[in-house]
Amino acid sequence: MEMSKIKVALGVALGMTVAMPMAAMAAPDQEAAIADPNNWAHPRRDHTNQAYSTLTQINKGNVKNLKYAWTFATGVNRGHEGSPLVINGVMYVHTAFPNNVYALDLNDNQKIIWSYFPKQDPSVQAVLCCDNVSRGLGFGDGKIFLQQNDGMLVALDAKTGAKVWEVRNTDPKVGATNTNAPHVIKDKVLTGCSGAEFGVRCFIAAYNIKDGSLVWKAYSTGPDSEVLIGPDFNKANPHYSALTTYEDVNGGNKQGGSFKALPKEKLKYPETDLGVKTWLKPQAVKDGWQHGGGSVWGWWPYDPKTNLVFYGTGNPSVWNPDVRPGDNKWSMTIFARDVDTGIAKWGYQMTPHDEWDYDGINEVILIDKGGKRLAWHHDRNGFLYTFERDTGTLVAVEKVHPFVNWATHVDMKSGIPHKDPKYSTHQDYNAKGICPAALGTKDQQPAAYSPKTGLVYTPLNHVCMTYEPVESKYVAGQPWVGATLTMFPGPDGVMGGFGAYDPLTNKNVWYNKEKFSAWGGALVTASNLVFYGTLDRWFKALDANSGKELWKMQVGSGVIGNAFTYGHKGKQYVGVLSGVGGWAGVAMNLGLTNPTDALGAAGGYAELTKYNAAPGGGALNVFSL
Amino acid sequence: MRKPYSISMIALLSFILVACGKGGDGKAVEGESGKSAAEPLKMVEFVTTQDGSPLIIKPELFDTPAAKEFATTGKNPYIGNKEAIEKGKKLFQLYSCTQCHGGDAQGQTGPSLHGPNYKYAKNATNKGMFETIWHGTNGGMGAKGKGLMDPTDPNNGLTPDEVLKIIAWIRTHGTTTGNE
């Protein structure tokens, strides 16, 4: 069967795709690599996205003796997100733009086995909204997969670095780029799309790992046939497919207006083609959904039992909510899709009719706890969500910190957040004191889960904002933003934190403040240690039970990468990429070191220049006992 | 087409380059004594920011008194004009200049436009900044002028009058007017 020839997104009848024989072959080498605890063969270690390692050589008693084992300067400046992969004695390291890749021989002094230097048009950097980061690599079928910023998805021979195939996934000419790590699931490699700040209509796409042919592509907006929504969608929770979740108060989309959540009894559901119908007329552009954003770039877990992959979609374009009336589905949504067909099993929109740029892209983590099969998600909008992962039914929704004020709570029956009219945003009106800021209570930096403690460990932003939607015009390939914002530290007087939560209830267990947003991803190990890095250059180990700091070391530049661990020749290593940047550090990276030039989007981050040389220099830091 | 400069490198350069207050780069100022006798409107000679080559702008696009005055003198009559400044701010938002330069033009992924030090020294003058906005730069800033901005729509883009209003707003953040 030529799976590759089925271009689902181009309108092949849904029934036919479902009837396709399942191409269930996995990438056996990936499965074997993940099964070995010494490896780190998946961006988050394994398909659960837990970033949990069973290695225990480094423990609470000896962690204070952690020392630098080796470092590797990437030769590239600016934000370094994600983590390297480690597979059977070889480490694969990626960099920020131009997204170079190095294979290092752990058996021979970290010598470079091969390297890959993509040729990318430098102008691509101008259409990356929030620094030219890459979030890492994928592995499977003897290949290393790289998703370049310029939209090219590349498969490299893991042994030699030779290019096996490449395919264009997004087109920077219309403002569409990529920052995500490719995720290998079975015989496919999944990748996303960035560009909601450019009016791009984004999607998730699955390519055949053998030859790069497109298997399916599911848009975030548009008709069901292109969002890949079938008749059984949201079967357990049909009210997630309601035509509208709010009624307008004082005219809704104008200054003084706001939105009152409808109770479940008043919802009209299930409806089809909501990716079109929830973009009410008139929109800023003819059909709002055609430029509706909904970026996809997170970390995507996979459940082999149900064959579902989970991911979130980003903000609706444009940031001015008044010119896109309606719920703007399926932006801000967690989707669960069948990996073979792309067909969505369930989808839940966290922030209907977004007014604050609270992207829903943050990762989902698969958790089995209390006899339940759960999917956990810390959204940018400041709520922690726990779902039954097979159906999407809500189990627990809580604010991650009481400072979250745009909504009072989420109605567990309807699933709809109750927005506070005070923080509704409207054109030419500067709404003040909104918490959290657009970069959310957490952004790209993924959380971790330990089956041993039963807790999730999440990095935190603690930043609020003013938000003024403005009129803006769509031009292909140019930014299309439609709001100006300023950001400032939240009520705790700091800009970040790090906390542990119980995913069954989403109640806080412990909470540490951080001077700056904790913009690096977390790692947790079976010896109950949590690792993460900070923008002021610290790499830390905490007691997973209490949050007590047990060890820290300062690295060369602020950390926005993810902590990871691996074993080699009987020794456990922990590591992290350093190189400040990302949304929090982007202005600094561009050399705006004059304090009055502080990043408009985050004035509070100006102090980063007291901790970091600019632009941030990329390096890999590896520690052992 | 854009030359392959890395943006991060360019941003660093902006610290090294120091504008000399009055137009800096010779070519840009030279144009002010332009002698295009063929035109009924005695226009200054515009040059591109990319390489200083002549920049031809249709005279009929200068269709307001302020734009006409600018076309002949290189001075921006909207400097200090409250109404024009207010409009300029709106236009800066309308065309999402904010995404790259920040809501107050203080810099974000693109450089601060406050001056007095510019990546391209000539941007200290209003003629220089007009040329930069109209025709773009080498390192990540596309042309915004009418007919140039959007390859799919010749009527899209900023008119000269609108560019002057944006500049008038940008100058409110700095210490110089650009007309010096």
Coordinates of all heavy atoms in Angstrom, one line a residue, chain A residues 78 122-123 125-126 128-131 197-198 428 468 470-476 478-484 583 586-587 589-594 596-601 614-615, chain B residues 2-8 11-12 14-15 89-90 93-100 102-104 106-112 114 139-144 149-152 155-157:
Chain A
R78 N 22.8 32.7 20.6 CA 21.4 32.9 20.8 C 20.7 31.6 21.4 O 21.4 30.7 21.8 CB 20.7 33.3 19.5 CG 21.3 34.6 19.0 CD 20.6 35.2 17.8 NE 19.2 35.4 18.0 CZ 18.5 36.1 17.1 NH1 19.0 36.6 16.0 NH2 17.2 36.2 17.3
P122 N 19.5 33.6 5.5 CA 19.4 34.3 6.8 C 18.2 35.1 7.0 O 17.8 35.4 8.1 CB 20.6 35.3 6.7 CG 21.5 34.8 5.6 CD 20.6 34.0 4.6
S123 N 17.5 35.5 5.9 CA 16.3 36.3 6.1 C 15.2 35.6 6.8 O 14.2 36.2 7.3 CB 15.7 36.8 4.7 OG 15.3 35.7 4.0
Q125 N 15.4 34.4 9.6 CA 15.5 34.9 11.0 C 14.5 36.0 11.3 O 14.1 36.2 12.4 CB 16.9 35.3 11.4 CG 17.9 34.1 11.4 CD 19.3 34.6 11.5 OE1 19.9 34.6 12.6 NE2 19.9 35.1 10.4
A126 N 14.2 36.8 10.3 CA 13.3 37.9 10.4 C 11.9 37.5 10.6 O 11.1 38.2 11.1 CB 13.5 38.9 9.2
L128 N 11.0 34.7 12.3 CA 10.8 33.9 13.5 C 10.4 34.8 14.6 O 11.2 35.7 14.9 CB 12.1 33.1 13.8 CG 12.5 32.0 12.9 CD1 14.0 31.7 12.9 CD2 11.7 30.8 13.2
C129 N 9.2 34.6 15.2 CA 8.7 35.6 16.1 C 9.5 35.8 17.3 O 9.7 36.9 17.8 CB 7.3 35.3 16.5 SG 7.1 34.1 17.8
C130 N 10.1 34.7 17.8 CA 10.5 34.8 19.2 C 11.9 34.1 19.4 O 12.0 33.2 20.2 CB 9.5 34.2 20.1 SG 7.8 34.7 19.7
D131 N 12.8 34.5 18.6 CA 14.2 34.0 18.6 C 14.3 32.8 17.7 O 13.3 32.0 17.6 CB 14.7 33.7 20.0 CG 16.2 33.8 20.0 OD1 16.8 34.3 19.0 OD2 16.8 33.4 21.0
E197 N 2.0 34.7 14.3 CA 2.2 36.1 14.4 C 2.4 36.7 12.9 O 2.7 37.8 12.7 CB 3.5 36.5 15.2 CG 3.2 36.5 16.7 CD 2.7 35.2 17.3 OE1 3.4 34.2 17.0 OE2 1.7 35.1 17.9
F198 N 2.1 35.8 12.0 CA 2.2 36.2 10.5 C 1.0 35.8 9.8 O 0.9 35.8 8.6 CB 3.4 35.5 9.9 CG 4.7 36.1 10.4 CD1 5.2 35.7 11.6 CD2 5.5 37.0 9.7 CE1 6.4 36.2 12.1 CE2 6.7 37.5 10.2 CZ 7.1 37.1 11.4
D428 N -7.8 49.5 20.9 CA -7.5 50.9 21.3 C -7.8 51.1 22.8 O -8.0 52.3 23.2 CB -8.2 51.9 20.4 CG -7.8 51.8 19.0 OD1 -6.6 51.4 18.7 OD2 -8.6 52.0 18.1
E468 N -2.9 45.9 24.7 CA -3.7 46.9 23.9 C -3.8 46.4 22.5 O -2.9 46.5 21.7 CB -3.1 48.3 23.9 CG -3.9 49.3 23.1 CD -3.5 50.7 23.2 OE1 -2.5 51.0 23.9 OE2 -4.1 51.5 22.5
V470 N -4.7 46.5 18.7 CA -4.7 47.6 17.7 C -5.1 47.1 16.4 O -5.0 45.9 16.1 CB -3.3 48.3 17.7 CG1 -2.9 48.9 19.0 CG2 -2.2 47.3 17.2
E471 N -5.5 48.0 15.5 CA -5.8 47.6 14.1 C -4.5 47.2 13.4 O -3.5 47.9 13.6 CB -6.5 48.8 13.4 CG -7.1 48.4 12.1 CD -7.6 49.7 11.3 OE1 -7.5 50.8 11.9 OE2 -8.1 49.5 10.2
S472 N -4.5 46.1 12.7 CA -3.4 45.8 11.9 C -3.8 45.1 10.7 O -4.9 44.5 10.6 CB -2.4 45.0 12.7 OG -2.7 43.6 12.7
K473 N -2.9 45.2 9.6 CA -3.3 44.8 8.3 C -2.6 43.5 7.9 O -1.4 43.4 8.1 CB -2.9 45.9 7.4 CG -3.3 45.8 6.0 CD -3.1 47.1 5.3 CE -3.2 47.0 3.8 NZ -3.2 48.2 3.1
Y474 N -3.3 42.5 7.3 CA -2.6 41.3 6.9 C -1.9 41.5 5.6 O -2.5 42.0 4.6 CB -3.6 40.2 6.8 CG -3.0 38.9 6.2 CD1 -2.2 38.1 7.0 CD2 -3.1 38.6 4.8 CE1 -1.5 37.0 6.4 CE2 -2.4 37.6 4.3 CZ -1.6 36.7 5.1 OH -1.0 35.7 4.5
V475 N -0.6 41.2 5.6 CA 0.2 41.2 4.3 C 1.0 39.9 4.3 O 1.7 39.6 5.3 CB 1.1 42.4 4.2 CG1 1.9 42.3 2.9 CG2 0.4 43.7 4.3
A476 N 0.8 39.1 3.3 CA 1.5 37.8 3.3 C 3.0 37.9 3.5 O 3.7 38.7 2.9 CB 1.3 37.1 1.9
Q478 N 4.5 39.0 6.1 CA 4.8 40.1 7.1 C 4.2 39.8 8.4 O 3.1 39.1 8.4 CB 4.3 41.4 6.5 CG 4.7 41.7 5.1 CD 5.7 42.8 5.0 OE1 6.2 43.3 6.0 NE2 6.0 43.1 3.8
P479 N 4.7 40.3 9.5 CA 4.1 40.1 10.7 C 2.7 40.6 10.8 O 2.4 41.6 10.1 CB 5.0 40.8 11.7 CG 6.2 41.1 11.0 CD 5.9 41.1 9.6
W480 N 1.8 40.0 11.5 CA 0.5 40.4 11.6 C 0.1 40.2 13.1 O -0.3 39.1 13.5 CB -0.4 39.6 10.7 CG -1.8 40.1 10.6 CD1 -2.2 41.4 10.5 CD2 -3.0 39.3 10.6 NE1 -3.6 41.5 10.3 CE2 -4.1 40.2 10.4 CE3 -3.3 38.0 10.7 CZ2 -5.4 39.8 10.3 CZ3 -4.6 37.5 10.6 CH2 -5.7 38.5 10.4
V481 N 0.3 41.3 13.9 CA 0.3 41.1 15.4 C -1.0 41.6 15.9 O -1.8 40.9 16.5 CB 1.5 41.7 16.1 CG1 1.6 41.2 17.5 CG2 2.7 41.4 15.3
G482 N -1.2 42.9 15.9 CA -2.5 43.5 16.3 C -2.6 43.7 17.8 O -3.7 43.8 18.3
A483 N -1.5 43.8 18.5 CA -1.6 44.2 19.9 C -0.2 44.7 20.4 O 0.8 44.2 19.8 CB -2.0 43.1 20.8
T484 N -0.2 45.6 21.3 CA 1.1 46.0 21.9 C 1.0 45.6 23.4 O -0.1 45.9 24.0 CB 1.4 47.4 21.7 OG1 0.4 48.2 22.3 CG2 1.6 47.8 20.3
W583 N 11.8 33.7 23.8 CA 11.0 35.0 23.9 C 11.6 35.9 25.0 O 11.7 37.1 24.9 CB 9.5 34.6 24.2 CG 8.6 35.7 24.0 CD1 8.9 37.0 23.8 CD2 7.2 35.6 24.0 NE1 7.7 37.8 23.6 CE2 6.7 36.9 23.8 CE3 6.3 34.6 24.2 CZ2 5.3 37.2 23.7 CZ3 4.9 34.9 24.2 CH2 4.4 36.2 23.9
V586 N 15.1 37.4 23.8 CA 15.3 37.7 22.4 C 15.9 39.1 22.2 O 16.8 39.3 21.4 CB 14.1 37.5 21.5 CG1 13.0 38.5 21.8 CG2 14.4 37.5 20.1
A587 N 15.4 40.0 22.9 CA 15.9 41.4 22.8 C 17.3 41.5 23.2 O 18.1 42.2 22.5 CB 15.0 42.4 23.5
N589 N 19.5 39.2 23.1 CA 20.3 38.6 22.1 C 20.6 39.5 20.9 O 21.6 39.3 20.2 CB 19.6 37.3 21.6 CG 20.0 36.1 22.3 OD1 21.0 36.2 23.1 ND2 19.3 35.1 22.2
L590 N 19.7 40.4 20.7 CA 19.9 41.3 19.6 C 20.8 42.5 20.0 O 20.9 43.5 19.3 CB 18.6 41.7 19.0 CG 18.0 40.5 18.2 CD1 16.5 40.6 18.1 CD2 18.7 40.4 16.8
G591 N 21.3 42.5 21.2 CA 22.3 43.5 21.6 C 21.7 44.7 22.2 O 22.3 45.7 22.3
L592 N 20.4 44.7 22.6 CA 19.8 45.9 23.1 C 20.2 46.0 24.6 O 19.4 45.8 25.5 CB 18.3 45.8 23.0 CG 17.8 45.5 21.6 CD1 16.3 45.2 21.5 CD2 18.2 46.6 20.6
T593 N 21.4 46.3 24.8 CA 21.9 46.3 26.2 C 21.7 47.6 26.9 O 22.0 47.7 28.1 CB 23.5 46.0 26.2 OG1 24.1 46.8 25.3 CG2 23.7 44.5 25.8
N594 N 21.2 48.6 26.2 CA 20.9 49.8 26.9 C 19.6 49.6 27.7 O 18.6 49.2 27.2 CB 20.6 50.9 25.8 CG 20.2 52.2 26.4 OD1 19.9 52.3 27.6 ND2 20.2 53.3 25.6
T596 N 17.3 51.4 28.9 CA 16.1 52.0 28.4 C 15.5 51.4 27.2 O 14.4 51.7 26.8 CB 16.3 53.5 28.2 OG1 17.3 53.7 27.2 CG2 16.7 54.3 29.4
D597 N 16.3 50.5 26.5 CA 15.8 49.8 25.3 C 15.2 48.5 25.7 O 15.0 47.6 24.9 CB 17.0 49.5 24.4 CG 17.4 50.6 23.6 OD1 16.7 51.6 23.6 OD2 18.5 50.5 22.9
A598 N 14.8 48.4 27.0 CA 14.4 47.1 27.5 C 13.3 46.5 26.6 O 12.5 47.1 26.0 CB 13.7 47.2 28.9
L599 N 13.4 45.2 26.4 CA 12.4 44.4 25.6 C 11.0 44.9 25.9 O 10.5 44.7 27.0 CB 12.6 43.0 26.0 CG 11.6 41.9 25.4 CD1 11.6 41.9 23.9 CD2 12.0 40.6 25.9
G600 N 10.4 45.4 24.8 CA 9.0 45.9 25.0 C 8.1 44.8 25.6 O 7.3 45.1 26.4
A601 N 8.3 43.6 25.1 CA 7.5 42.5 25.5 C 7.8 42.1 26.9 O 7.1 41.3 27.5 CB 7.7 41.4 24.6
A614 N 25.7 39.2 25.7 CA 24.8 39.1 24.6 C 25.6 39.2 23.3 O 26.6 39.9 23.2 CB 23.8 40.3 24.6
P615 N 25.2 38.4 22.3 CA 24.1 37.4 22.4 C 24.6 36.2 23.1 O 25.8 35.9 23.2 CB 23.9 37.1 20.9 CG 25.2 37.4 20.2 CD 25.8 38.5 20.9
Chain B
R2 N 18.0 40.0 -0.6 CA 18.8 40.3 0.7 C 20.1 39.6 0.7 O 20.3 38.5 0.3 CB 18.0 39.8 1.8 CG 16.7 40.6 2.1 CD 15.8 39.8 2.9 NE 14.6 40.6 3.1 CZ 13.4 40.0 3.5 NH1 13.3 38.7 3.5 NH2 12.4 40.7 3.7
K3 N 21.1 40.3 1.2 CA 22.4 39.7 1.3 C 22.5 38.9 2.6 O 21.8 39.2 3.5 CB 23.4 40.8 1.3 CG 23.8 41.4 -0.1 CD 25.0 42.2 0.0 CE 25.0 43.2 -1.2 NZ 25.7 44.4 -0.8
P4 N 23.3 37.9 2.6 CA 23.3 37.0 3.7 C 24.1 37.6 4.9 O 25.2 37.3 5.2 CB 24.1 35.8 3.2 CG 24.9 36.3 2.1 CD 24.2 37.5 1.5
Y5 N 23.4 38.5 5.6 CA 24.0 39.0 6.9 C 23.2 38.3 8.0 O 22.0 38.1 7.9 CB 23.7 40.5 7.1 CG 24.6 41.3 6.2 CD1 24.1 42.5 5.7 CD2 25.9 41.0 5.9 CE1 24.9 43.3 4.9 CE2 26.7 41.8 5.1 CZ 26.2 42.9 4.6 OH 27.0 43.7 3.8
S6 N 23.9 37.9 9.0 CA 23.2 37.3 10.2 C 22.7 38.5 11.0 O 23.4 39.4 11.2 CB 24.1 36.4 11.0 OG 24.3 36.9 12.3
I7 N 21.4 38.4 11.4 CA 20.8 39.5 12.1 C 21.5 39.7 13.5 O 21.7 40.9 13.9 CB 19.3 39.2 12.4 CG1 18.6 39.1 11.0 CG2 18.7 40.2 13.3 CD1 17.2 39.0 11.1
S8 N 21.9 38.6 14.1 CA 22.6 38.9 15.4 C 23.9 39.7 15.2 O 24.2 40.5 16.1 CB 22.8 37.6 16.1 OG 23.4 36.7 15.2
A11 N 23.0 43.3 14.7 CA 22.6 44.0 15.9 C 23.9 44.4 16.7 O 23.9 45.5 17.3 CB 21.7 43.1 16.8
L12 N 24.9 43.5 16.7 CA 26.1 43.9 17.4 C 26.7 45.1 16.7 O 27.2 46.0 17.4 CB 27.1 42.7 17.3 CG 27.0 41.7 18.5 CD1 28.1 40.7 18.4 CD2 27.1 42.5 19.8
S14 N 25.4 47.4 15.4 CA 24.7 48.7 15.6 C 25.3 49.4 16.8 O 25.2 50.6 17.0 CB 23.2 48.4 15.8 OG 23.0 47.7 17.0
F15 N 26.1 48.7 17.6 CA 26.7 49.3 18.7 C 28.0 49.9 18.4 O 28.5 50.8 19.0 CB 26.9 48.3 19.9 CG 25.7 48.1 20.6 CD1 24.8 47.1 20.2 CD2 25.3 48.9 21.7 CE1 23.6 47.0 20.9 CE2 24.2 48.7 22.3 CZ 23.3 47.8 21.9
K89 N 1.7 56.7 14.8 CA 1.7 55.6 15.7 C 0.7 54.5 15.3 O 1.0 53.3 15.3 CB 1.3 56.1 17.1 CG 1.3 55.0 18.1 CD 0.8 55.5 19.5 CE 0.8 54.3 20.4 NZ 0.4 54.7 21.8
K90 N -0.5 54.9 14.8 CA -1.5 53.9 14.3 C -0.9 53.1 13.2 O -1.1 51.9 13.1 CB -2.8 54.6 13.9 CG -3.5 55.2 15.1 CD -4.5 54.2 15.7 CE -5.2 54.8 16.9 NZ -5.3 53.8 18.0
Q93 N 1.5 50.5 14.1 CA 0.8 49.3 14.6 C 0.1 48.6 13.4 O 0.1 47.3 13.3 CB -0.3 49.7 15.6 CG 0.4 50.3 16.9 CD -0.6 50.9 17.8 OE1 -1.7 51.4 17.4 NE2 -0.3 51.0 19.1
L94 N -0.5 49.3 12.5 CA -1.3 48.7 11.4 C -0.4 47.8 10.6 O -0.9 46.8 10.2 CB -1.9 49.8 10.5 CG -2.8 49.4 9.4 CD1 -4.1 48.8 10.0 CD2 -3.2 50.5 8.5
Y95 N 0.8 48.2 10.4 CA 1.7 47.4 9.6 C 2.6 46.5 10.4 O 3.6 46.0 9.9 CB 2.5 48.3 8.6 CG 1.6 48.8 7.5 CD1 1.0 50.0 7.6 CD2 1.4 48.0 6.3 CE1 0.1 50.4 6.6 CE2 0.6 48.4 5.3 CZ -0.1 49.6 5.4 OH -0.9 50.1 4.5
S96 N 2.3 46.3 11.7 CA 3.0 45.4 12.5 C 4.5 45.6 12.6 O 5.2 44.7 12.8 CB 2.7 43.9 12.1 OG 1.4 43.6 12.3
C97 N 4.9 46.9 12.4 CA 6.3 47.2 12.7 C 6.6 46.9 14.2 O 7.7 46.6 14.5 CB 6.5 48.7 12.5 SG 5.8 49.5 11.1
T98 N 5.5 46.9 15.0 CA 5.6 46.6 16.4 C 6.2 45.2 16.7 O 6.9 45.0 17.7 CB 4.2 46.6 17.1 OG1 3.3 45.9 16.3 CG2 3.7 48.1 17.1
Q99 N 5.8 44.2 15.8 CA 6.3 42.9 16.0 C 7.8 42.8 16.1 O 8.4 42.1 16.9 CB 5.8 41.9 14.9 CG 6.4 40.6 14.9 CD 6.1 39.7 16.1 OE1 5.2 40.0 16.8 NE2 6.8 38.6 16.2
C100 N 8.5 43.6 15.3 CA 9.9 43.5 15.2 C 10.6 44.6 16.0 O 11.7 44.4 16.6 CB 10.4 43.5 13.8 SG 9.7 42.2 12.7
G102 N 9.0 46.5 18.5 CA 8.4 46.8 19.8 C 7.4 47.9 19.7 O 7.4 48.7 18.8
G103 N 6.4 47.9 20.6 CA 5.3 48.8 20.6 C 5.7 50.3 20.7 O 5.0 51.1 20.1
D104 N 6.8 50.6 21.3 CA 7.3 51.9 21.3 C 8.6 52.1 20.5 O 9.4 53.0 20.7 CB 7.6 52.3 22.8 CG 6.4 53.0 23.5 OD1 5.7 53.8 22.8 OD2 6.1 52.6 24.6
Q106 N 11.1 50.5 20.6 CA 12.3 50.5 21.5 C 13.2 49.3 21.1 O 14.2 49.0 21.7 CB 11.8 50.4 22.9 CG 11.3 49.0 23.4 CD 9.9 48.8 23.0 OE1 9.4 49.2 21.9 NE2 9.2 48.0 23.8
G107 N 12.7 48.4 20.2 CA 13.5 47.3 19.8 C 12.9 46.0 20.3 O 12.5 46.0 21.5
Q108 N 12.9 45.0 19.5 CA 12.4 43.7 19.9 C 13.3 42.7 19.1 O 14.4 42.5 19.5 CB 10.9 43.5 19.7 CG 10.3 42.4 20.5 CD 8.8 42.6 20.8 OE1 8.5 43.6 21.4 NE2 8.0 41.8 20.3
T109 N 12.8 42.1 18.1 CA 13.6 41.2 17.3 C 14.4 42.1 16.3 O 15.4 41.8 15.8 CB 12.9 40.2 16.5 OG1 11.9 40.8 15.7 CG2 12.2 39.2 17.4
G110 N 13.8 43.3 16.0 CA 14.5 44.3 15.1 C 15.1 45.3 16.1 O 14.8 45.4 17.2
P111 N 16.0 46.2 15.5 CA 16.6 47.2 16.4 C 15.7 48.3 16.9 O 14.6 48.5 16.3 CB 17.7 47.8 15.4 CG 17.2 47.6 14.1 CD 16.4 46.3 14.1
S112 N 16.1 48.9 17.9 CA 15.5 50.2 18.4 C 15.6 51.2 17.4 O 16.6 51.3 16.6 CB 16.1 50.6 19.7 OG 15.7 52.0 20.0
H114 N 15.0 54.5 18.2 CA 15.1 55.7 18.9 C 16.2 56.6 18.6 O 16.2 57.8 18.7 CB 15.1 55.4 20.4 CG 13.8 54.9 21.0 ND1 13.6 54.6 22.3 CD2 12.7 54.5 20.3 CE1 12.3 54.1 22.4 NE2 11.8 54.0 21.2
G139 N 19.4 43.4 5.8 CA 19.4 42.4 6.8 C 18.1 42.2 7.5 O 18.0 42.2 8.7
G140 N 17.0 41.9 6.8 CA 15.8 41.4 7.5 C 14.7 42.4 7.5 O 13.7 42.1 8.2
M141 N 14.8 43.5 6.8 CA 13.7 44.5 6.9 C 13.2 44.7 5.4 O 14.0 45.2 4.6 CB 14.3 45.8 7.5 CG 13.6 47.0 7.2 SD 12.2 47.2 8.3 CE 11.6 48.7 7.5
G142 N 12.0 44.2 5.2 CA 11.5 44.3 3.8 C 11.0 45.7 3.4 O 10.8 46.5 4.3
A143 N 10.9 46.0 2.1 CA 10.4 47.2 1.7 C 9.0 47.4 2.1 O 8.2 46.5 2.0 CB 10.5 47.3 0.1
K144 N 8.6 48.6 2.5 CA 7.3 48.9 2.9 C 6.5 49.9 2.0 O 5.4 50.2 2.3 CB 7.3 49.5 4.4 CG 8.1 48.7 5.4 CD 7.4 47.4 5.7 CE 8.2 46.5 6.7 NZ 7.7 45.2 6.8
M149 N 5.8 46.5 -1.1 CA 5.7 45.7 0.1 C 5.1 44.4 -0.2 O 5.5 43.4 0.4 CB 4.8 46.5 1.1 CG 4.6 45.7 2.4 SD 3.8 46.7 3.7 CE 2.1 46.5 3.2
D150 N 4.1 44.3 -1.1 CA 3.3 43.1 -1.2 C 3.3 42.7 -2.7 O 2.7 43.3 -3.5 CB 1.9 43.4 -0.8 CG 1.0 42.1 -0.9 OD1 1.5 41.1 -1.4 OD2 -0.2 42.2 -0.4
P151 N 4.1 41.7 -3.1 CA 4.3 41.3 -4.5 C 2.9 40.9 -5.1 O 2.8 40.9 -6.3 CB 5.2 40.1 -4.4 CG 5.5 39.8 -3.0 CD 4.9 40.8 -2.1
T152 N 1.9 40.6 -4.3 CA 0.7 40.1 -4.8 C -0.3 41.3 -5.0 O -1.4 41.1 -5.6 CB 0.0 39.1 -3.9 OG1 -0.4 39.8 -2.6 CG2 0.9 38.0 -3.6
N155 N -1.2 47.8 -5.1 CA -1.7 48.9 -4.3 C -1.5 48.9 -2.9 O -1.8 49.8 -2.1 CB -3.2 49.0 -4.6 CG -3.5 49.5 -6.0 OD1 -2.8 50.4 -6.5 ND2 -4.5 48.9 -6.6
N156 N -0.8 47.8 -2.4 CA -0.6 47.7 -1.0 C 0.7 48.4 -0.6 O 1.6 48.5 -1.4 CB -0.4 46.2 -0.6 CG -0.9 45.9 0.8 OD1 -1.1 46.8 1.6 ND2 -1.1 44.6 1.1
G157 N 0.8 48.8 0.6 CA 2.0 49.4 1.1 C 1.8 50.9 1.6 O 0.7 51.4 1.4

